[in-house]
């Protein structure tokens, strides 16, 4: 989708608020597509929102375990910070 492509560009440019906004727009457009959750998880990870990153990556793995199931093996190694009051 256009939001997914734009979000990927913003993530590579380290423009995290824009990457997150586009990931969320892509999720809203098609909540059953796992790639926007990966984009959201990567963007949140880079902003040190580990709680949000873990949630997004877990959802991606649940939607497509064959492609993203490996994330479930990696997630226990992610130290989860206390839940933030506000997600960027």
């Amino acid at each position: 989708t256009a939001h997914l492509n734009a979000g990927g560009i913003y993530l590579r440019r380290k423009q995290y608020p824009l990457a997150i906004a586009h990931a969320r727009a892509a999720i809203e457009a098609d909540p059953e597509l796992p790639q926007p959750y990966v984009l959201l998880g990567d963007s949140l990870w880079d902003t040190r929102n580990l709680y949000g990153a873990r949630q997004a990556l877990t959802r991606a793995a649940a939607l497509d375990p064959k492609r993203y199931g490996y994330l479930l093996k990696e997630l226990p190694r992610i130290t989860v910070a206390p839940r933030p009051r506000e997600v960027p």
Side-chain angles (χ1 to χ4, degrees):
T1 70
H3 286 295
L4 190 58
N5 293 334
I9 291 168
Y10 288 123
L11 177 61
R12 286 189 295 282
R13 292 180 181 170
K14 300 182 188 300
Q15 294 178 300
Y16 302 116
L18 291 171
I20 291 167
H22 280 282
R24 289 190 170 144
I27 289 167
E28 188 174 315
D30 187 352
E32 299 303 311
L33 192 64
Q35 292 88 345
Y37 291 97
V38 174
L39 173 62
L40 180 60
D42 288 347
S43 300
L44 292 173
W45 173 264
D46 287 347
T47 62
R48 302 297 182 242
N49 180 341
L50 303 182
Y51 180 86
R54 185 181 181 115
Q55 283 188 310
L57 296 173
T58 298
R59 181 68 179 142
L63 287 170
D64 190 348
K66 191 171 186 176
R67 186 169 184 186
Y68 298 109
Y70 73 92
L71 292 171
L72 296 177
K73 295 176 185 171
E74 298 295 321
L75 287 174
R77 294 194 281 178
I78 296 176
T79 302
V80 178
R83 184 178 185 165
R85 282 185 249 161
E86 206 174 315
V87 176

